[in-house]
Amino acid sequence: MTNTIGNKIIVITGASSGLGAEAARYLAELGATVVLGARRTERIKALAEGIEAKGGKALAVETDVTDRASVQNLVDTAVKTYGRIDVLLNNAGVMPLSPLEKLRVDEWDLMIDVNIKGVLYGIAAALPHMKARKSGHIINVSSVAGHRVLENSAVYSATKFAVRALSEGLRAEVKPYNLRTTVISPGAVQSELLDGIHDEATAEQLRSFVPGIAISADSFARCVAFAINQPEEVDINEILFRPTKQPV
Ligand SMILES: NC(=O)c1ccc[n+]([C@@H]2O[C@H](COP(=O)([O-])OP(=O)(O)OC[C@H]3O[C@@H](n4cnc5c(N)ncnc54)[C@H](OP(=O)(O)O)[C@@H]3O)[C@@H](O)[C@H]2O)c1
């Protein structure tokens, strides 16, 4: 299979850890130029330096996806520096799970701000550039939780269902501009996501089984690469994957 990733400019949100960081490493190894966005600048700078030390191309841009101007700056910096954006990987996300009755409303707001509005701000920033060139690919990250709802995950699931709805709507609208849209829904993958659960009972419950079944983040990186590395006329719409051991 030909490698169409090699000459691509790929912007990744949430590149400071977990799935985003691994995707950045893998895509850079395949020759892509990666533009890394996250709030923890020391992490993305170290990642960019590590990629460059291996002969890859990477740029770190401090980004808070809850701030529209910050996401615009991430995409505009990529375009100013490299002339274009070929792929946006809308990956940043948070998952502070809890039962609704605990009324952790600030965490509901955070999930909506990062997981839904953050994705929308990414689309708002990238779409005009891609539309103008009639070329581009937007990849949004949903979850198995975007396909089914379990206890303690109502709000998180709602945000990930929303990501799928937005991806579907986007796909229906961007056909005239020759743009590709993919939604990737991972199951349990090793990352720092569980660290963001502050409801003790929920955290304990998840820590009792998730680390035992979670698969390495390179599983996600390979899915991203598969979607990107298709001929321009092939639009991989959805990828849903989970550990072989994960029952639901
Ligand atoms: N791991 C799984 O099992 C799994 C399963 C299904 C879906 N997902 C999805 O995969 C995506 C990546 O998560 P992960 O598992 O890799 O978790 P992670 O290790 O906690 O990484 C989350 C990333 O999101 C970034 N982020 C959070 N808030 C942000 C903000 N306001 N602005 C910019 N970046 C922000 C974090 O960067 P900073 O904190 O440095 O800003 C970090 O880079 C998420 O959308 C998650 O919902 C993960």
Side-chain angles (χ1 to χ4, degrees), residues 87-110:
V87 182
L88 171 64
L89 177 55
N90 253 329
N91 162 78
V94 292
M95 189 186 72
L97 302 180
S98 64
L100 287 169
E101 65 175 333
K102 294 272 184 83
L103 304 184
R104 299 179 75 99
V105 178
D106 289 348
E107 294 183 346
W108 303 352
D109 286 340
L110 180 68

Side-chain angles (χ1 to χ4, degrees), residues 14-20 37-40 63-66 91-94 114 141-144 156 160 186-193:
S16 60
S17 67
L19 281 55
R39 294 165 305 170
R40 288 172 292 178
T63 306
D64 182 341
V65 299
T66 67
N91 162 78
V94 292
V114 176
V141 180
S142 177
S143 171
V144 164
Y156 180 69
K160 293 302 185 179
V189 178
Q190 290 156 8
S191 77
E192 298 175 15
L193 202 59

Side-chain angles (χ1 to χ4, degrees), residues 112-189:
I112 290 164
D113 287 346
V114 176
N115 300 358
I116 302 180
K117 291 174 76 176
V119 166
L120 280 168
Y121 292 158
I123 292 169
L127 194 52
H129 292 294
M130 293 179 173
K131 218 175 116 176
R133 292 183 53 242
K134 281 203 162 53
S135 175
H137 190 170
I138 294 178
I139 304 176
N140 296 328
V141 180
S142 177
S143 171
V144 164
H147 291 257
R148 64 194 310 271
V149 190
L150 298 174
E151 59 178 6
N152 307 334
S153 77
V155 181
Y156 180 69
S157 275
T159 65
K160 293 302 185 179
F161 272 72
V163 169
R164 291 182 56 226
L166 292 171
S167 305
E168 188 99 12
L170 180 66
R171 179 177 314 123
E173 293 180 18
V174 296
K175 292 292 160 186
Y177 310 121
N178 190 41
L179 305 187
R180 303 194 292 173
T181 54
T182 301
V183 59
I184 302 182
S185 298
V189 178

Side-chain angles (χ1 to χ4, degrees), residues 34-35 48 93 122 127-128 139 165 169 182 186 200 213 220 233 244:
V34 289
V35 181
L127 194 52
I139 304 176
T182 301
E200 264 317 307
I213 62 167
F220 172 77
E233 67 274 20
T244 309

